[in-house]
Amino acid sequence: MDVREEDLISGARSIEPRIGSVELLHATPAPYENAVATAMTCYSSRLIKTPEVSKDEKAIARRDRIAERTFKAGHNTTLQHNTFQFAFHGVSRYLLWTFLHDHPFYNSEQVSQRYVRVSAEKVFTPPLSERGRERFAAAVSDAAGTYHRLTEILEEPARDAYADVFTGRRLSLQAEGDKSRWHRDIVKKSQEVARYVLPLATMAHLHHTVSGLTIHRYRRLSNTIECGTEMKLLIDSMVKEVVRHDPLFFSQAEDPLPLDETPERRLLSRMFSSGPNAESKTTDWIRAFDKELSGRTSKLLDCSSNAEATLARAVRTVMGAGSDTMSDDEAIRWALDPERNSHLCDSLNLSTHGKLTKTLVHPHFTFARKLSLSADAQDQRHRCVPGSRPLLASHFRPSTPDYIVPTLVTKSAEAEDLYHGFMKRLWITLATMLEEGEPMESVLYLLPNAFPVRFEESGDLLSLRHKWAMRLCYNAQEEIWRASCDEVEQVRAIFPRIGRWMLPPCGLRLAAGVKPFCPEGASYCGVRVWTMDLADYRRVI
């Protein structure tokens, strides 16, 4: 579904909101019949292939009976044998965060806001009145101007921080300025932080691949409480592309679930009907949540009480050994010490396949976390460490600006003034639009990347170990890096025999004797992290 260029620009006067384009790039041939063939194979003495299920009229009748029976019975793993790769242009970051990436059953590669300069004026414009569109356009224009100005202002503190890390490059930076070969690295650091002011309405393009089962679920949930108009446009376009590929694929599908029947809509409606104190109650909850964090980005709430003993037992069970043959210490080292377990340093992440590393699924941990939308959009890509992320409407307070301030912004008084001033203006606009009757769904598109999401996140040690290894790296996004430092510090305090092996890639490679210790090549962060203790980790950029 194509859209005109003028409708991509903030303030466009399209009567009905539009998304960009949805294109089906690759798909399994004959997915409907392929799913039936896999179902028939389960109860056949031989493997059934797709062409057989429609070879004659009798086969076609049996095909449709099996498709209906398996779908209605919920035996829908057969649909997962089919994959669909889409190209999306012009979808909002709000849609990506709240739906497309908020579940584990997808693969997605999207344009980065960290390393690619954003066309900040290009946004999805949700349903609004004429006056609302004017206010929306003005707010987007303000955000775009602030983004570009912040990128410029932050170059100086980013250059100073960069020179503190790469001391050998300081003279080149001072002498050559913008002509320095390192200048582009500094600009990237500046725009990575400046993006915190960009609205959720900012557009993105991406490849998105899902199974046949997931796209059925998308269709069933196409009426939703958050960014519902945009989501429906997107899912309708995806369905049309799939039907064009295979007209039979949705022949057994149920109708989309009505919005008013969703539990989220019913509960949120009840909460907002509770009277004028709803915002003050939200404020009390947020104050209590932040107090519980005690200044941390992530606070350990719950964990397996016997994590080390359980892990050691599982290792011995794999090997058929008793405690008299293998101590807890030795068993834990065989699971987590990269000198002994080579799977831990492999670039393909073999841990879910290795017999010893699979023992890490038994210890579990739950954290309370507070991250900006910008950071959480990356954090949620760790799909095996799921979180109960909020409905933004339930956390948003129109009268109270609420946002994360990146460390680099605090290194420049001019940047701080610009940043805080923008947030103050933005919240005035948000409150005004709501007072004028604009729908909450549409107003939320103006929330900045800096808006904090507070939620609980849980994972097993297998998935968390991989996440911590990736996010303890100094190249990781700053907030996720800080959250990972918090989490590993707390795990080490309770389970030192496990926590000692929660290291960034360079630390793991040092323990394994694999050189070079840093695997990042030209993207080396400049800090010999593998020589440092977690308590000594410090970062500005």
Side-chain angles (χ1 to χ4, degrees):
M1 184 174 71
D2 295 324
V3 66
R4 299 166 303 180
E5 179 69 10
E6 58 264 33
D7 287 325
L8 297 178
I9 308 300
S10 67
R13 295 297 186 265
S14 55
I15 296 175
E16 295 183 359
R18 302 186 184 190
I19 58 171
S21 63
V22 174
E23 180 183 1
L24 182 61
L25 298 178
H26 305 287
T28 302
Y32 174 80
E33 293 180 345
N34 181 60
V36 172
T38 63
M40 292 173 64
T41 296
C42 293
Y43 300 99
S44 172
S45 59
R46 62 183 182 84
L47 188 140
I48 307 299
K49 296 184 178 180
T50 303
E52 297 180 54
V53 305
S54 58
K55 60 183 180 182
D56 53 38
E57 291 185 6
K58 182 178 179 180
I60 290 173
R62 182 174 59 175
R63 175 199 69 186
D64 294 339
R65 287 197 305 272
I66 292 173
E68 181 180 12
R69 187 166 66 244
T70 55
F71 190 89
K72 289 184 175 179
H75 302 316
N76 291 320
T77 56
T78 59
L79 295 169
Q80 290 182 284
H81 294 283
N82 305 299
T83 59
F84 302 88
Q85 181 183 351
F86 294 92
F88 297 154
H89 292 271
V91 297
S92 75
R93 297 280 173 170
Y94 190 8
L95 179 61
L96 293 177
W97 176 81
T98 197
F99 189 73
L100 288 180
H101 291 171
D102 197 31
H103 66 92
F105 308 112
Y106 74 94
N107 188 43
S108 197
E109 314 298 335
Q110 72 185 59
V111 59
S112 171
Q113 285 188 335
R114 294 183 72 191
Y115 303 125
V116 177
R117 190 174 180 87
V118 178
S119 298
E121 297 82 2
K122 291 188 175 182
V123 299
F124 174 81
T125 304
L128 293 162
S129 69
E130 184 66 25
R131 179 58 175 160
R133 286 197 294 271
E134 292 174 0
R135 291 197 186 279
F136 190 93
V140 169
S141 179
D142 190 10
T146 303
Y147 167 75
H148 295 305
R149 180 61 183 145
L150 263 181
T151 301
E152 296 171 355
I153 295 173
L154 291 173
E155 279 191 31
E156 182 177 349
R159 185 183 300 109
D160 292 341
Y162 188 87
D164 287 342
V165 173
F166 295 99
T167 55
R169 301 173 185 179
R170 186 184 300 275
L171 291 178
S172 171
L173 290 168
Q174 292 174 344
E176 300 175 19
D178 294 354
K179 303 296 183 181
S180 169
R181 60 183 293 192
W182 319 115
H183 178 68
R184 181 57 189 155
D185 293 338
I186 293 167
V187 171
K188 287 180 180 179
K189 295 296 184 182
S190 301
Q191 66 191 22
E192 177 181 358
V193 173
R195 70 188 168 129
Y196 274 63
V197 303
L198 294 176
L200 287 179
T202 305
M203 286 183 169
H205 54 264
L206 64 152
H207 289 269
H208 192 74
T209 300
V210 292
S211 74
L213 178 55
T214 296
I215 198 169
H216 267 279
R217 289 169 174 166
Y218 281 2
R219 184 181 179 278
R220 180 71 167 146
L221 291 171
S222 58
N223 295 318
T224 182
I225 195 168
E226 289 199 295
C227 58
T229 299
E230 183 185 12
M231 187 181 300
K232 186 169 179 55
L233 289 170
L234 178 73
I235 294 173
D236 285 351
S237 296
M238 295 174 71
V239 168
K240 288 177 182 177
E241 287 288 290
V242 173
V243 169
R244 186 179 296 117
H245 174 68
D246 184 351
L248 294 174
F249 189 71
F250 292 104
S251 60
Q252 305 298 330
E254 300 176 16
D255 292 334
L257 189 66
L259 174 60
D260 289 339
E261 292 184 14
T262 61
E264 295 84 2
R265 173 58 177 262
R266 291 165 57 199
L267 180 55
L268 193 63
S269 297
R270 180 180 300 178
M271 290 174 60
F272 272 87
S273 65
S274 61
N277 294 324
E279 183 172 341
S280 64
K281 291 179 180 178
T282 299
T283 298
D284 291 343
W285 175 84
I286 287 175
R287 186 179 294 115
F289 190 100
D290 290 354
K291 182 179 180 180
E292 187 178 22
L293 287 177
S294 303
R296 293 184 180 274
T297 303
S298 186
K299 174 75 175 293
L300 181 63
L301 295 180
D302 193 17
C303 60
S304 302
S305 58
N306 298 310
E308 290 180 336
T310 300
L311 174 58
R313 175 192 172 99
V315 171
R316 287 194 292 265
T317 298
V318 169
M319 304 308 298
S323 57
D324 57 337
T325 304
M326 184 184 299
S327 69
D328 283 6
D329 285 350
E330 185 178 6
I332 291 171
R333 288 196 65 179
W334 275 105
L336 287 172
D337 183 351
E339 183 181 19
R340 301 187 181 195
N341 191 337
S342 60
H343 294 336
L344 301 172
C345 287
D346 196 283
S347 60
L348 281 177
N349 186 23
L350 304 175
S351 57
T352 56
H353 299 273
K355 294 287 187 181
L356 287 176
T357 44
K358 279 194 288 189
T359 61
L360 301 178
V361 301
H362 302 298
H364 282 251
F365 302 85
T366 297
F367 298 91
R369 317 179 89 229
K370 177 184 176 182
L371 292 173
S372 71
L373 283 163
S374 179
D376 191 49
Q378 293 188 28
D379 184 75
Q380 69 179 178
R381 302 300 297 279
H382 292 277
R383 295 183 282 278
C384 292
V385 186
S388 51
R389 290 173 171 84
L391 295 169
L392 292 188
S394 68
H395 285 207
F396 170 57
R397 296 167 293 165
S399 64
T400 308
D402 192 11
Y403 53 91
I404 301 291
V405 181
T407 301
L408 188 62
V409 170
T410 67
K411 302 301 179 181
S412 165
E414 184 180 3
E416 278 196 289
D417 288 344
L418 179 63
Y419 192 83
H420 292 302
F422 166 77
M423 295 299 177
K424 182 178 180 179
R425 294 191 303 274
L426 175 61
W427 252 261
I428 291 173
T429 297
L430 297 174
T432 300
M433 291 178 69
L434 288 174
E435 290 171 358
E436 292 176 345
E438 301 300 339
M440 175 69 80
E441 173 196 327
S442 300
V443 172
L444 291 176
Y445 274 89
L446 286 176
L447 284 178
N449 282 333
F451 186 76
V453 286
R454 299 166 174 91
F455 62 102
E456 283 72 43
E457 185 174 88
S458 296
D460 56 52
L461 184 59
L462 177 68
S463 303
L464 284 167
R465 188 215 68 85
H466 174 68
K467 177 183 177 180
W468 289 331
M470 297 297 100
R471 298 302 181 171
L472 287 174
C473 173
Y474 269 43
N475 282 338
Q477 201 274 352
E478 179 199 352
E479 285 183 74
I480 307 176
W481 175 83
R482 294 189 187 282
S484 298
C485 290
D486 281 347
E487 291 163 3
V488 171
E489 177 188 347
Q490 293 168 87
V491 170
R492 285 185 178 183
I494 303 173
F495 304 116
R497 290 180 292 179
I498 287 176
R500 65 175 294 198
W501 300 112
M502 301 302 107
L503 300 166
C506 57
L508 293 169
R509 290 164 69 93
L510 171 67
V514 177
K515 294 183 177 181
F517 299 141
C518 174
E520 294 291 325
S523 297
Y524 169 49
C525 71
V527 181
R528 294 168 58 86
V529 182
W530 59 88
T531 68
M532 300 167 59
D533 183 75
L534 180 68
D536 299 322
Y537 283 14
R538 300 288 186 276
R539 273 185 65 184
V540 173
I541 57 175

